[in-house]
Amino acid sequence: MIKAGIIGGAGYTAGELIRLLINHPQVELVFVNSTSNAGNKLTDVHGGLLGETDMKFTDQLPYNEIDVLFFCTAHGDTKKFLDTNKVPENLKIIDLSTDYRKESAEHEFVYGLPELNKERIKQAKRIANPGCFATAIQLALLPLANAQLLNTEVHVNAITGSTGAGVKPSATSHFSWRENNISVYKAFEHQHLGEIRQSLTQLQNNFTEDINFIPVRGNFTRGIFASIYLNFEGSEEDARKLYEDFYKDSPFVIVTDKNPDLKQVVNTNKCVLYVEKHGNKLLILSCIDNLVKGASGQALHNLNLIFGLDETQGLKLKATGF
Amino acid sequence: MIKAGIIGGAGYTAGELIRLLINHPQVELVFVNSTSNAGNKLTDVHGGLLGETDMKFTDQLPYNEIDVLFFCTAHGDTKKFLDTNKVPENLKIIDLSTDYRKESAEHEFVYGLPELNKERIKQAKRIANPGCFATAIQLALLPLANAQLLNTEVHVNAITGSTGAGVKPSATSHFSWRENNISVYKAFEHQHLGEIRQSLTQLQNNFTEDINFIPVRGNFTRGIFASIYLNFEGSEEDARKLYEDFYKDSPFVIVTDKNPDLKQVVNTNKCVLYVEKHGNKLLILSCIDNLVKGASGQALHNLNLIFGLDETQGLKLKATGF
Amino acid sequence: MIKAGIIGGAGYTAGELIRLLINHPQVELVFVNSTSNAGNKLTDVHGGLLGETDMKFTDQLPYNEIDVLFFCTAHGDTKKFLDTNKVPENLKIIDLSTDYRKESAEHEFVYGLPELNKERIKQAKRIANPGCFATAIQLALLPLANAQLLNTEVHVNAITGSTGAGVKPSATSHFSWRENNISVYKAFEHQHLGEIRQSLTQLQNNFTEDINFIPVRGNFTRGIFASIYLNFEGSEEDARKLYEDFYKDSPFVIVTDKNPDLKQVVNTNKCVLYVEKHGNKLLILSCIDNLVKGASGQALHNLNLIFGLDETQGLKLKATGF
Amino acid sequence: MIKAGIIGGAGYTAGELIRLLINHPQVELVFVNSTSNAGNKLTDVHGGLLGETDMKFTDQLPYNEIDVLFFCTAHGDTKKFLDTNKVPENLKIIDLSTDYRKESAEHEFVYGLPELNKERIKQAKRIANPGCFATAIQLALLPLANAQLLNTEVHVNAITGSTGAGVKPSATSHFSWRENNISVYKAFEHQHLGEIRQSLTQLQNNFTEDINFIPVRGNFTRGIFASIYLNFEGSEEDARKLYEDFYKDSPFVIVTDKNPDLKQVVNTNKCVLYVEKHGNKLLILSCIDNLVKGASGQALHNLNLIFGLDETQGLKLKATGF
């Protein structure tokens, strides 16, 4: 059994990770660290775990009892922690924050997008788990980058569920405001653009065109639906073939020939991709669950890869359907 | 023109009251007091007013410029204010908080449920505006109390929109939690039971039976839907007649013979009532908009009555329908 | 009093139109024609009218009793009707279908976008009321067209509420499917592109660039939120000034300097516009209520113009806010 | 491997059952029969299965290839089918319709509520799977019946998600109507009352008191939240102990001491129960997912019992949480 611990256990991604780990046949969750909740039951915070565990949050960090440590900490806090705490050399780390997503000679984190870096992940000791928008958008563009076909501006509109904004209450996560509401934020300037560009240039190093990204707040809790288009010379069939080929060994990416909807992926680790050609434009639709494929499911996928388990272990999740 | 001021202008009921007053042909809104927002535009807080007013919040209270003062303050704060501040003797006050809903020799507030106390309201100087649940439930029971027919336990289940819980963020008003969720709170012990009983005994002074009230948090923003039943000897037709007679002079209460749904009243000052007989039980369904009929619309109705205006002035609102 | 009739009274736009006309101080609704519902009460179909009218649907068309006839018919049916029925020469017609939106020598309908054609509308006898998406998108682009600044591709993503798809049940309007779901339809090929281009070229006749339009189905009932961008040389202030100037006499278009959200306009006849500059791109956000400004409210605005009434008569509607 | 077939494969309960069976380690889904969809892919109808199966609907019924046949047919159709078709004597049948829930000498179906009839189910050849409301309400009352404590009227209000009403579009399942709406239907007369009473009298045969049941249509897709109360002499602790004892061997029923919310059980096979004492009343809250514990999950639980598998096999589902 792989033994796992979590730091920052009270947030949404931690809750989702715990719900997944609890049912993983080859992982044992050893501790969940949370300063603010130490001593409380996990189920006090993550009510959906009721009947599945009696574990309590702890303020301890018994590194010696675990093989892998997940950071579900706020952005900035993982780096702060690692800068000031000594963790055992051989402890695997999977960080869900943004802190180490930019690859650099100054740290040894590998960018944990399995569809891009599977072999490097298998050898890695430390993983920077991709952002949710970044996951949906990269998966929609990697096959084109791989074919050196990203040669014009890219237009992206992606709408996200409220869980992407975290558990801390804010004006835009107040039910009375958000219910039946739509709004745009950080247009053209979302912080995930950096990691998206890093991945695309990894495959197509001459890619310098703009990615015009409009993030939208949706009135639902889970999921990201991205609609993306750019100029594309080939046919729709060419495009679909490109995508199918690129993802033929990626168990969680499904290229469909039927116009998709978001709920097909909600509560699963899938990314559903769909292409349509109009004039000289290729439209790509990309759907993921932001908490699973966009965060905790992908983190678990990375665990599976690092420890040599079946990639889909613990991640064959029932779609909610409705 | 009646000149009005508001204290506590940043909350939901204040927002709704402002949106109503702005369009009232015989009222001029003179100031909106808010300590926390003084100097900001009303539209910074109440975005739906965009294009309708350039007014700013003030920390002043120019009593001499107004005829009526609305308190949209938190529960407890109206009393605290009036205990420590001197307001002009002849200034009308309409208080939306709970502070003076219990009638008492110690204060001169009249309980402002127009369907019960219309004549007293017309003569009143100070009005305690009813609670939202209290409004929906009383209107469903007053005709029976009036006919001395409340002689068994009353069973009430009422589901409310999130705006009933106010603008201050909380765990149960977080979108990620509340969306598609249902929960119960303060079962059998909701604070509105006092004012409900006060009104019922005003009409039927021997009423002592239990009111078993289960309040439910709904996953919508506006509205209260109450389902109520109790023993009733007569026929369904008898009951409907009783209701129609009792409300024949109440322009906002509609007794329908068709099973209603909540959205019929959303965004209006209506209360829709429906009765159905099953065995020895009479089922009464009662729907209101908690922010309009259950708060600010009713407050404006009270203003109309106090100043001798047409009751429906400024309150002929378009239902959203959808 | 202007006397009005409606053909096709059972759908959503008819319901909204009736709810508006009922409260219009200078219009009397004389009849609502519906073949399928003749003899039924309006309130049987449009429950939100309860307590406001006892009128019944009729299968009659007493032209001589009315001054204006609204067509709330399905697309195609207005033309079919007018091709086969003789209506009095002097009867004003306001058609909410798509049938006559393309201006042509073959018919005398004027495209009824008041912000573009106000003077022509005032003189018109027959009005083709704009489409909902078309309204939101045109209003976002007209100031640029007027300044001859539409010189590059335009990128449009617009999400619509379910009422835009009408009352007839379908797979994509089933609650169990649509709730918390997102999907794209008619990408690059929505039928409103024709009327949008017609209006833009009316102001900038050399405009030939692509309008890349991705329509999105949202999980809410009312409203359209469009995010639009294109290349723009000037500053953000230049752009805002352009918009403010263009709309200075348009009472329902509000140019805001604060990032808007959809619910600011829901249940109103407003269009809220907002501009933001990023690099060489101008982002324009445009929000309307699809049933009001995008359909029945705009139709009533046209009535006001045709009959010389105050433009805003009957259209000062309270935003729902929440 | 247990081999399973499904009749009536296009509805919601069939979709959920397929999504569950696909991931069950000891069941193989051999065919899904659907007259209307024969030849189409399962994923054309149940989009959430994308990437999990290439199976197509069939119009064949190869009984000899299966061990168990699920009926996901419309109410009335299972009986009609079995009356006119001969199925192999030894084929196990699990029927999700209402047709055989009333136990009778005329058929051999066992009422498949595992918490009540586990031993009989293990021996059964044919199972009548309980209704969704019936499941939530019975589980809330069985411990009291078992203790012979159902001696007064029972008051039940239960709100259900839209999937309970099936895939066929109707006025009350139209998104534009149902979104943010609440309504009551079949008050006091819901068809599940029969099976509820059957189960309660099985444990307390002198139970004859009324069950006053108000079913409510909620604006969410999945789940049932029932609030129930009745007179109870003992303390809250007595009650909780009664419930804990009764369900100590029931892996899917969780008695919590913390006020629950519906989403704790959504997408799981759990029933969460909670008791609270107020005056002489005991309040019981009961939450299930109508499609899982209230239908297809319970059907799979019954399969596990019939074939001697671990009860929880294939049913350890991740709660959606949000």
Side-chain angles (χ1 to χ4, degrees), chain B residues 71-110:
Chain B
F71 281 82
C72 294
T73 31
H75 301 311
D77 286 358
T78 305
K79 185 162 191 318
K80 206 176 298 173
F81 184 94
L82 291 178
D83 285 351
T84 54
N85 288 269
K86 193 161 169 47
V87 301
E89 188 58 25
N90 62 332
L91 181 64
K92 310 287 191 191
I93 289 178
I94 299 175
D95 176 27
L96 281 78
S97 85
T98 62
D99 295 5
Y100 296 97
R101 291 187 195 150
K102 187 171 167 49
E103 301 207 336
S104 154
E106 289 167 32
H107 66 74
E108 53 180 332
F109 282 78
V110 169

CSV table of all heavy atoms in Angstrom, one decimal, chain B residues 71-110:
chain,number,residue,atom,x,y,z
B,71,PHE,N,-36.1,51.5,8.6
B,71,PHE,CA,-34.9,50.8,9.2
B,71,PHE,C,-34.7,49.4,8.5
B,71,PHE,O,-35.6,48.6,8.6
B,71,PHE,CB,-35.2,50.6,10.7
B,71,PHE,CG,-34.9,51.8,11.5
B,71,PHE,CD1,-35.9,52.8,11.6
B,71,PHE,CD2,-33.7,52.0,12.2
B,71,PHE,CE1,-35.7,53.9,12.4
B,71,PHE,CE2,-33.5,53.1,13.0
B,71,PHE,CZ,-34.5,54.1,13.0
B,72,CYS,N,-33.6,49.3,7.8
B,72,CYS,CA,-33.3,48.0,7.2
B,72,CYS,C,-32.1,47.5,7.9
B,72,CYS,O,-31.2,46.8,7.4
B,72,CYS,CB,-33.0,48.2,5.7
B,72,CYS,SG,-34.4,48.7,4.7
B,73,THR,N,-32.1,47.7,9.2
B,73,THR,CA,-31.0,47.4,10.1
B,73,THR,C,-31.1,45.9,10.5
B,73,THR,O,-32.1,45.2,10.4
B,73,THR,CB,-31.1,48.2,11.3
B,73,THR,OG1,-32.5,48.5,11.6
B,73,THR,CG2,-30.4,49.6,11.1
B,74,ALA,N,-29.9,45.4,11.0
B,74,ALA,CA,-29.9,44.0,11.5
B,74,ALA,C,-30.8,43.9,12.8
B,74,ALA,O,-31.1,44.9,13.4
B,74,ALA,CB,-28.5,43.7,11.9
B,75,HIS,N,-31.3,42.7,13.0
B,75,HIS,CA,-32.2,42.5,14.1
B,75,HIS,C,-31.4,42.9,15.4
B,75,HIS,O,-30.3,42.6,15.7
B,75,HIS,CB,-32.6,41.0,14.2
B,75,HIS,CG,-33.3,40.6,12.9
B,75,HIS,ND1,-34.3,41.4,12.4
B,75,HIS,CD2,-33.1,39.6,12.1
B,75,HIS,CE1,-34.7,40.8,11.3
B,75,HIS,NE2,-34.0,39.7,11.1
B,76,GLY,N,-32.1,43.7,16.2
B,76,GLY,CA,-31.6,44.3,17.4
B,76,GLY,C,-31.1,45.7,17.3
B,76,GLY,O,-31.1,46.5,18.3
B,77,ASP,N,-30.7,46.0,16.1
B,77,ASP,CA,-30.1,47.4,15.9
B,77,ASP,C,-31.1,48.5,15.8
B,77,ASP,O,-30.7,49.7,16.1
B,77,ASP,CB,-29.2,47.4,14.6
B,77,ASP,CG,-27.9,46.6,14.8
B,77,ASP,OD1,-27.7,46.1,15.9
B,77,ASP,OD2,-27.1,46.5,13.9
B,78,THR,N,-32.3,48.2,15.4
B,78,THR,CA,-33.3,49.3,15.4
B,78,THR,C,-33.6,49.8,16.9
B,78,THR,O,-33.6,51.0,17.2
B,78,THR,CB,-34.6,48.8,14.8
B,78,THR,OG1,-34.3,48.3,13.5
B,78,THR,CG2,-35.6,50.0,14.7
B,79,LYS,N,-33.8,48.8,17.7
B,79,LYS,CA,-34.1,49.1,19.1
B,79,LYS,C,-32.9,49.9,19.7
B,79,LYS,O,-33.0,50.9,20.4
B,79,LYS,CB,-34.4,47.9,19.9
B,79,LYS,CG,-34.8,48.2,21.4
B,79,LYS,CD,-35.5,47.0,22.0
B,79,LYS,CE,-36.2,47.4,23.3
B,79,LYS,NZ,-35.3,48.3,24.2
B,80,LYS,N,-31.7,49.3,19.5
B,80,LYS,CA,-30.5,50.0,20.0
B,80,LYS,C,-30.4,51.4,19.5
B,80,LYS,O,-30.2,52.4,20.3
B,80,LYS,CB,-29.3,49.2,19.5
B,80,LYS,CG,-28.1,49.3,20.4
B,80,LYS,CD,-26.9,48.4,19.9
B,80,LYS,CE,-27.3,46.9,19.9
B,80,LYS,NZ,-26.2,46.1,19.3
B,81,PHE,N,-30.7,51.6,18.2
B,81,PHE,CA,-30.7,53.0,17.7
B,81,PHE,C,-31.7,53.9,18.3
B,81,PHE,O,-31.4,55.0,18.8
B,81,PHE,CB,-30.9,52.9,16.2
B,81,PHE,CG,-30.8,54.2,15.5
B,81,PHE,CD1,-29.6,54.6,14.9
B,81,PHE,CD2,-31.9,55.1,15.4
B,81,PHE,CE1,-29.5,55.9,14.3
B,81,PHE,CE2,-31.8,56.4,14.8
B,81,PHE,CZ,-30.6,56.7,14.2
B,82,LEU,N,-32.9,53.4,18.4
B,82,LEU,CA,-34.0,54.3,19.0
B,82,LEU,C,-33.8,54.5,20.5
B,82,LEU,O,-34.2,55.6,21.0
B,82,LEU,CB,-35.4,53.7,18.7
B,82,LEU,CG,-35.8,53.7,17.2
B,82,LEU,CD1,-37.1,53.0,17.0
B,82,LEU,CD2,-35.8,55.1,16.6
B,83,ASP,N,-33.2,53.6,21.1
B,83,ASP,CA,-32.9,53.8,22.6
B,83,ASP,C,-31.9,54.9,22.8
B,83,ASP,O,-31.8,55.5,23.9
B,83,ASP,CB,-32.4,52.5,23.2
B,83,ASP,CG,-33.6,51.5,23.4
B,83,ASP,OD1,-34.8,51.9,23.2
B,83,ASP,OD2,-33.3,50.3,23.8
B,84,THR,N,-31.0,55.1,21.8
B,84,THR,CA,-29.9,56.0,22.1
B,84,THR,C,-29.9,57.2,21.2
B,84,THR,O,-29.1,58.1,21.4
B,84,THR,CB,-28.5,55.2,21.8
B,84,THR,OG1,-28.6,54.7,20.5
B,84,THR,CG2,-28.3,54.1,22.8
B,85,ASN,N,-30.8,57.3,20.2
B,85,ASN,CA,-30.9,58.5,19.4
B,85,ASN,C,-32.3,59.1,19.5
B,85,ASN,O,-33.3,58.4,19.6
B,85,ASN,CB,-30.7,58.1,17.9
B,85,ASN,CG,-29.2,57.7,17.6
B,85,ASN,OD1,-28.4,58.6,17.3
B,85,ASN,ND2,-28.9,56.5,17.8
B,86,LYS,N,-32.3,60.4,19.4
B,86,LYS,CA,-33.6,61.0,19.4
B,86,LYS,C,-34.1,61.3,18.0
B,86,LYS,O,-33.3,62.0,17.2
B,86,LYS,CB,-33.5,62.4,20.2
B,86,LYS,CG,-34.8,62.9,20.5
B,86,LYS,CD,-34.9,63.9,21.7
B,86,LYS,CE,-36.2,64.6,21.7
B,86,LYS,NZ,-37.4,63.6,21.6
B,87,VAL,N,-35.2,60.8,17.6
B,87,VAL,CA,-35.7,61.1,16.2
B,87,VAL,C,-36.9,62.0,16.4
B,87,VAL,O,-37.6,61.9,17.5
B,87,VAL,CB,-36.1,59.8,15.4
B,87,VAL,CG1,-34.8,59.0,15.3
B,87,VAL,CG2,-37.2,59.1,16.1
B,88,PRO,N,-37.2,62.8,15.5
B,88,PRO,CA,-38.3,63.8,15.6
B,88,PRO,C,-39.6,63.0,15.9
B,88,PRO,O,-39.9,62.0,15.4
B,88,PRO,CB,-38.4,64.5,14.2
B,88,PRO,CG,-37.0,64.3,13.7
B,88,PRO,CD,-36.5,63.0,14.2
B,89,GLU,N,-40.4,63.6,16.8
B,89,GLU,CA,-41.7,63.0,17.2
B,89,GLU,C,-42.6,62.6,16.1
B,89,GLU,O,-43.2,61.6,16.1
B,89,GLU,CB,-42.4,64.1,18.1
B,89,GLU,CG,-43.6,63.5,18.9
B,89,GLU,CD,-43.3,62.3,19.7
B,89,GLU,OE1,-42.1,62.2,20.2
B,89,GLU,OE2,-44.2,61.5,20.0
B,90,ASN,N,-42.7,63.5,15.1
B,90,ASN,CA,-43.7,63.3,14.0
B,90,ASN,C,-43.2,62.5,12.8
B,90,ASN,O,-43.9,62.3,11.8
B,90,ASN,CB,-44.2,64.6,13.5
B,90,ASN,CG,-43.1,65.5,12.9
B,90,ASN,OD1,-41.9,65.3,13.3
B,90,ASN,ND2,-43.4,66.3,12.0
B,91,LEU,N,-41.9,62.0,12.9
B,91,LEU,CA,-41.3,61.2,11.8
B,91,LEU,C,-41.9,59.8,11.8
B,91,LEU,O,-41.9,59.1,12.8
B,91,LEU,CB,-39.8,61.2,11.9
B,91,LEU,CG,-39.0,60.4,10.9
B,91,LEU,CD1,-39.2,61.1,9.5
B,91,LEU,CD2,-37.6,60.3,11.2
B,92,LYS,N,-42.5,59.4,10.7
B,92,LYS,CA,-43.0,58.0,10.6
B,92,LYS,C,-41.8,57.1,10.5
B,92,LYS,O,-40.8,57.4,9.8
B,92,LYS,CB,-43.8,57.9,9.3
B,92,LYS,CG,-44.9,58.9,9.1
B,92,LYS,CD,-46.1,58.8,10.1
B,92,LYS,CE,-47.2,59.7,9.7
B,92,LYS,NZ,-48.2,59.8,10.7
B,93,ILE,N,-42.0,55.9,11.1
B,93,ILE,CA,-40.9,54.9,11.1
B,93,ILE,C,-41.5,53.6,10.6
B,93,ILE,O,-42.6,53.2,11.1
B,93,ILE,CB,-40.3,54.8,12.5
B,93,ILE,CG1,-39.4,56.0,12.8
B,93,ILE,CG2,-39.4,53.5,12.5
B,93,ILE,CD1,-38.8,56.0,14.2
B,94,ILE,N,-40.8,53.0,9.7
B,94,ILE,CA,-41.2,51.6,9.2
B,94,ILE,C,-39.9,50.7,9.4
B,94,ILE,O,-38.9,50.9,8.8
B,94,ILE,CB,-41.6,51.6,7.8
B,94,ILE,CG1,-42.9,52.4,7.6
B,94,ILE,CG2,-41.9,50.1,7.3
B,94,ILE,CD1,-43.4,52.6,6.2
B,95,ASP,N,-40.0,49.8,10.4
B,95,ASP,CA,-38.9,49.0,10.8
B,95,ASP,C,-39.0,47.6,10.2
B,95,ASP,O,-39.9,46.9,10.5
B,95,ASP,CB,-38.8,48.9,12.3
B,95,ASP,CG,-37.7,48.1,12.8
B,95,ASP,OD1,-36.7,47.9,12.1
B,95,ASP,OD2,-37.9,47.5,13.9
B,96,LEU,N,-38.0,47.2,9.4
B,96,LEU,CA,-38.0,45.9,8.8
B,96,LEU,C,-37.4,44.8,9.7
B,96,LEU,O,-37.4,43.6,9.4
B,96,LEU,CB,-37.3,45.9,7.4
B,96,LEU,CG,-38.2,46.4,6.3
B,96,LEU,CD1,-38.3,47.9,6.3
B,96,LEU,CD2,-37.8,45.9,4.9
B,97,SER,N,-36.8,45.2,10.8
B,97,SER,CA,-36.2,44.2,11.7
B,97,SER,C,-37.3,43.6,12.6
B,97,SER,O,-38.5,43.9,12.6
B,97,SER,CB,-35.2,44.9,12.6
B,97,SER,OG,-35.8,45.5,13.8
B,98,THR,N,-36.9,42.6,13.4
B,98,THR,CA,-37.8,41.9,14.3
B,98,THR,C,-38.1,42.7,15.6
B,98,THR,O,-38.9,42.3,16.4
B,98,THR,CB,-37.2,40.6,14.8
B,98,THR,OG1,-36.0,40.9,15.6
B,98,THR,CG2,-36.9,39.7,13.7
B,99,ASP,N,-37.4,43.8,15.8
B,99,ASP,CA,-37.3,44.4,17.2
B,99,ASP,C,-38.6,44.8,17.8
B,99,ASP,O,-38.8,44.7,19.0
B,99,ASP,CB,-36.4,45.6,17.2
B,99,ASP,CG,-35.0,45.2,16.8
B,99,ASP,OD1,-34.7,44.1,16.5
B,99,ASP,OD2,-34.1,46.1,16.9
B,100,TYR,N,-39.6,45.2,17.0
B,100,TYR,CA,-40.8,45.7,17.6
B,100,TYR,C,-42.1,44.9,17.1
B,100,TYR,O,-43.2,45.4,17.1
B,100,TYR,CB,-41.0,47.2,17.4
B,100,TYR,CG,-39.9,48.0,18.0
B,100,TYR,CD1,-38.8,48.5,17.3
B,100,TYR,CD2,-40.0,48.4,19.4
B,100,TYR,CE1,-37.8,49.2,17.9
B,100,TYR,CE2,-39.0,49.1,20.0
B,100,TYR,CZ,-38.0,49.6,19.2
B,100,TYR,OH,-37.0,50.3,19.8
B,101,ARG,N,-41.8,43.7,16.6
B,101,ARG,CA,-43.0,43.0,16.1
B,101,ARG,C,-43.9,42.5,17.2
B,101,ARG,O,-45.1,42.3,17.0
B,101,ARG,CB,-42.5,41.8,15.2
B,101,ARG,CG,-41.8,42.3,13.9
B,101,ARG,CD,-41.5,41.2,13.0
B,101,ARG,NE,-40.6,41.6,12.0
B,101,ARG,CZ,-39.7,40.8,11.4
B,101,ARG,NH1,-39.6,39.6,11.7
B,101,ARG,NH2,-38.9,41.3,10.4
B,102,LYS,N,-43.4,42.2,18.3
B,102,LYS,CA,-44.2,41.9,19.5
B,102,LYS,C,-44.9,43.1,20.0
B,102,LYS,O,-44.2,44.0,20.5
B,102,LYS,CB,-43.4,41.2,20.6
B,102,LYS,CG,-44.2,40.6,21.7
B,102,LYS,CD,-43.3,39.8,22.6
B,102,LYS,CE,-44.1,39.5,23.9
B,102,LYS,NZ,-45.4,38.9,23.7
B,103,GLU,N,-46.2,43.2,19.8
B,103,GLU,CA,-46.9,44.4,20.3
B,103,GLU,C,-46.8,44.5,21.8
B,103,GLU,O,-46.8,43.5,22.5
B,103,GLU,CB,-48.3,44.5,19.8
B,103,GLU,CG,-48.3,44.4,18.2
B,103,GLU,CD,-49.5,45.1,17.6
B,103,GLU,OE1,-50.6,45.2,18.3
B,103,GLU,OE2,-49.4,45.5,16.4
B,104,SER,N,-46.7,45.7,22.3
B,104,SER,CA,-46.4,45.9,23.8
B,104,SER,C,-46.8,47.3,24.2
B,104,SER,O,-46.8,48.2,23.4
B,104,SER,CB,-44.9,45.7,24.0
B,104,SER,OG,-44.5,46.3,25.1
B,105,ALA,N,-47.2,47.4,25.4
B,105,ALA,CA,-47.5,48.7,26.0
B,105,ALA,C,-46.2,49.6,26.0
B,105,ALA,O,-46.3,50.8,26.1
B,105,ALA,CB,-48.1,48.6,27.4
B,106,GLU,N,-45.1,49.0,25.9
B,106,GLU,CA,-43.8,49.7,26.1
B,106,GLU,C,-43.4,50.5,24.8
B,106,GLU,O,-42.4,51.2,24.8
B,106,GLU,CB,-42.7,48.8,26.5
B,106,GLU,CG,-42.9,48.4,28.0
B,106,GLU,CD,-42.0,47.2,28.3
B,106,GLU,OE1,-40.9,47.1,27.8
B,106,GLU,OE2,-42.4,46.4,29.2
B,107,HIS,N,-44.1,50.2,23.7
B,107,HIS,CA,-43.7,50.9,22.5
B,107,HIS,C,-45.0,51.1,21.7
B,107,HIS,O,-46.0,50.5,21.9
B,107,HIS,CB,-42.6,50.2,21.7
B,107,HIS,CG,-43.1,48.9,21.1
B,107,HIS,ND1,-43.9,48.8,20.0
B,107,HIS,CD2,-42.8,47.6,21.5
B,107,HIS,CE1,-44.1,47.5,19.8
B,107,HIS,NE2,-43.5,46.8,20.6
B,108,GLU,N,-44.9,52.0,20.7
B,108,GLU,CA,-46.1,52.3,19.9
B,108,GLU,C,-46.1,51.7,18.5
B,108,GLU,O,-47.0,52.1,17.7
B,108,GLU,CB,-46.3,53.8,19.9
B,108,GLU,CG,-45.1,54.5,19.3
B,108,GLU,CD,-45.2,56.1,19.3
B,108,GLU,OE1,-46.4,56.5,19.2
B,108,GLU,OE2,-44.2,56.8,19.4
B,109,PHE,N,-45.2,50.8,18.2
B,109,PHE,CA,-45.2,50.2,16.9
B,109,PHE,C,-46.5,49.3,16.7
B,109,PHE,O,-46.9,48.5,17.6
B,109,PHE,CB,-44.0,49.3,16.7
B,109,PHE,CG,-42.7,50.1,16.4
B,109,PHE,CD1,-42.0,50.7,17.5
B,109,PHE,CD2,-42.2,50.2,15.1
B,109,PHE,CE1,-40.9,51.4,17.2
B,109,PHE,CE2,-41.1,50.9,14.9
B,109,PHE,CZ,-40.4,51.5,15.9
B,110,VAL,N,-47.0,49.4,15.5
B,110,VAL,CA,-48.1,48.6,15.1
B,110,VAL,C,-47.6,47.5,14.2
B,110,VAL,O,-46.7,47.8,13.3
B,110,VAL,CB,-49.2,49.4,14.3
B,110,VAL,CG1,-50.3,48.5,13.6
B,110,VAL,CG2,-49.9,50.4,15.3
